[in-house]
Amino acid sequence: MQKEFLKKQTTSFQSKVYKVVSKIPKGKILTYKKVASLAGSPRAWRAVGNVLNKNRNPKIPCHRVIRSDGTIGGYNRGIKNKIALLKKEGVFIKT
DNA sequence: CGTATGACGTGCA
DNA sequence: GTGCACGCCATAC
């Protein structure tokens, strides 16, 4: 299935990320790639991480966003915190 | 405008 | 199986 998602808009792509991430249900997680894809730029997962890293909104469960490998990656609030949160939600993380 | 950075991903040795 | 390097997009300076 080849979809022409060549419509990358250099708008506050950050807002889209926030929206997508904030839509993540409890006990569920998304990968940076998935978030970027849902944000409209499946190739901007890099920017996703960047934006989230700088972001610090309590409404953004950034801890629910992990890498494609299943690893945490990082967390501005403390990797440990992220792991604990995900574990509490029932998400298994790769040590 | 150009350069540098970043919570990444994939490929190759 | 592990490690290294490159590529990608967006943002900040």
Side-chain angles (χ1 to χ4, degrees):
Chain A
M1 30 161 97
Q2 265 107 21
K3 258 169 176 202
E4 256 88 69
F5 34 83
L6 214 85
K7 47 180 30 205
K8 63 166 186 150
Q9 280 184 316
T10 153
T11 57
S12 282
F13 150 95
Q14 170 193 37
S15 297
K16 283 184 183 179
V17 179
Y18 288 148
K19 214 174 174 162
V20 176
V21 177
S22 66
K23 265 166 161 135
I24 303 176
K26 188 181 91 166
K28 190 92 175 198
I29 52 163
L30 285 178
T31 55
Y32 293 98
K33 248 212 294 207
K34 200 85 183 220
V35 175
S37 187
L38 294 169
S41 290
R43 308 252 173 203
W45 67 65
R46 278 265 206 172
V48 176
N50 268 29
V51 173
L52 286 171
N53 170 267
K54 280 155 141 224
N55 155 41
R56 220 194 292 153
N57 279 37
K59 283 197 164 274
I60 310 301
C62 15
H63 65 265
R64 281 193 194 139
V65 186
I66 60 164
R67 285 183 56 160
S68 312
D69 295 274
T71 39
I72 305 291
Y75 195 51
N76 338 8
R77 302 291 234 148
I79 301 293
K80 253 180 78 193
N81 209 268
K82 188 165 179 178
I83 297 169
L85 282 161
L86 291 168
K87 261 193 156 185
K88 261 177 208 246
E89 303 231 334
V91 183
F92 208 60
I93 307 296
K94 233 189 192 166
T95 53

